[in-house]
Amino acid sequence: MGTGSRSVKRIPYFIDLCIWSIDFCEVKVSTKGPSYDFGRNGMFEEGLSLDFVEFFREHGVCDFCGTPIAEDFSRCGCGKPLGRGNHLVIKFPTSLFQSHFRMLYSRELGRAANARRSRMVRENGGKFNRKHIKGMHAAQRGLCYFCGVSIELGSKSLHVDHYEPIAEGGKNDLSNMVLTCARCNLLKNAMHGDRFDAKARKFRTAEFTTILRAMRRDLKAYKQAFTDGP
């Protein structure tokens, strides 16, 4: 997992609405929890990250009176916006939407995706430990499970892949793991291993095709021995 949402400092406020025009953008911040648009992606479900708060304090003003955002991110002294749960309506230059705000937004989407994946891994169960990688690497003869290209231990070329995707209920278990090259793992993405394996035949070398069955037999035996062992 990368930088999950739980590892990021947050405060209990949520972006409820974001609109923009030619000259400025408006962001409504509330205490009611994320709106449907943001909440459906897991965005801000645990609060507003401090990088957003710093952006608003540095570049934003109250949309009603033009006062800079308070250092402690408290409500504006003008008393607006009105209504229960409403906290601030912040205005900032539209020119900063692409150069600053969108970058923060994309980062938040990534955090939300990592957090969702982490939850699914925990919920799906399984017992995979990174100490298994060395044994899998030996069983696979140091080759990618799908295309046969060489993958070195400890290198960025080696990826650990869930054969049955986590999103489809696959477990984070040794029985569901294979070692792949970076290219195959990125191409496979969330595809089931059976489907990707059929596609991978197109770029396998003839040499790898001849040892494929033996390599996979050895990997299966390693996993079985580890499962049945003490």
Side-chain angles (χ1 to χ4, degrees):
M1 176 178 159
T3 306
S5 63
R6 294 184 183 278
S7 65
V8 177
K9 290 185 177 180
R10 296 175 181 274
I11 59 177
Y13 299 106
F14 309 89
I15 293 180
D16 195 48
L17 181 68
C18 180
I19 61 175
W20 60 93
S21 64
I22 295 176
D23 298 320
F24 58 86
C25 295
E26 293 179 358
V27 172
K28 179 182 177 184
V29 178
S30 76
T31 61
K32 297 181 294 186
S35 67
Y36 172 73
D37 288 341
F38 294 110
R40 64 182 176 182
N41 291 320
M43 295 273 289
F44 312 115
E45 61 184 9
E46 296 175 8
L48 197 63
S49 60
L50 293 188
D51 46 8
F52 270 98
V53 174
E54 290 170 5
F55 170 79
F56 292 141
R57 287 193 303 215
E58 181 177 355
H59 302 289
V61 297
C62 173
D63 187 43
F64 298 97
C65 68
T67 300
I69 303 305
E71 189 67 23
D72 62 358
F73 208 66
S74 59
R75 283 178 59 84
C76 184
C78 72
K80 296 180 180 179
L82 302 175
R84 186 176 181 181
N86 292 330
H87 185 65
L88 288 167
V89 177
I90 303 169
K91 180 166 65 176
F92 62 88
T94 299
S95 59
L96 296 177
F97 183 82
Q98 291 291 347
S99 62
H100 291 69
F101 188 84
R102 184 170 287 278
M103 179 185 69
L104 297 177
Y105 186 88
S106 296
R107 184 187 301 168
E108 193 69 17
L109 276 176
R111 287 170 176 167
N114 285 337
R116 286 197 305 275
R117 180 175 174 81
S118 180
R119 284 196 296 270
M120 284 190 291
V121 167
R122 293 194 301 270
E123 292 168 359
N124 292 1
K127 296 180 180 180
F128 175 75
N129 192 301
R130 298 196 72 83
K131 67 183 180 181
H132 296 143
I133 293 176
K134 187 175 181 180
M136 294 172 64
H137 187 264
Q140 290 187 201
R141 296 164 168 76
L143 303 176
C144 171
Y145 184 88
F146 293 109
C147 74
V149 71
S150 178
I151 48 177
E152 297 183 13
L153 278 173
S155 72
K156 293 183 179 179
S157 65
L158 185 152
H159 284 212
V160 182
D161 179 67
H162 294 88
Y163 192 85
E164 181 182 5
I166 290 294
E168 294 184 15
K171 293 186 176 182
N172 191 49
D173 196 84
L174 176 61
S175 63
N176 191 39
M177 298 300 195
V178 296
L179 302 184
T180 76
C181 66
R183 175 174 178 266
C184 280
N185 193 34
L186 292 174
L187 287 174
K188 179 177 178 287
N189 197 7
M191 191 183 302
H192 194 285
D194 289 346
R195 289 180 55 206
F196 184 73
D197 192 44
K199 293 179 178 292
R201 293 171 187 161
K202 299 177 182 179
F203 46 87
R204 287 175 188 154
T205 64
E207 181 182 5
F208 176 63
T209 300
T210 61
I211 66 172
L212 176 62
R213 182 174 299 177
M215 183 202 80
R216 293 186 175 181
R217 182 187 62 231
D218 291 348
L219 179 62
K220 182 178 180 180
Y222 166 75
K223 292 179 178 181
Q224 192 65 45
F226 206 99
T227 302
D228 294 343

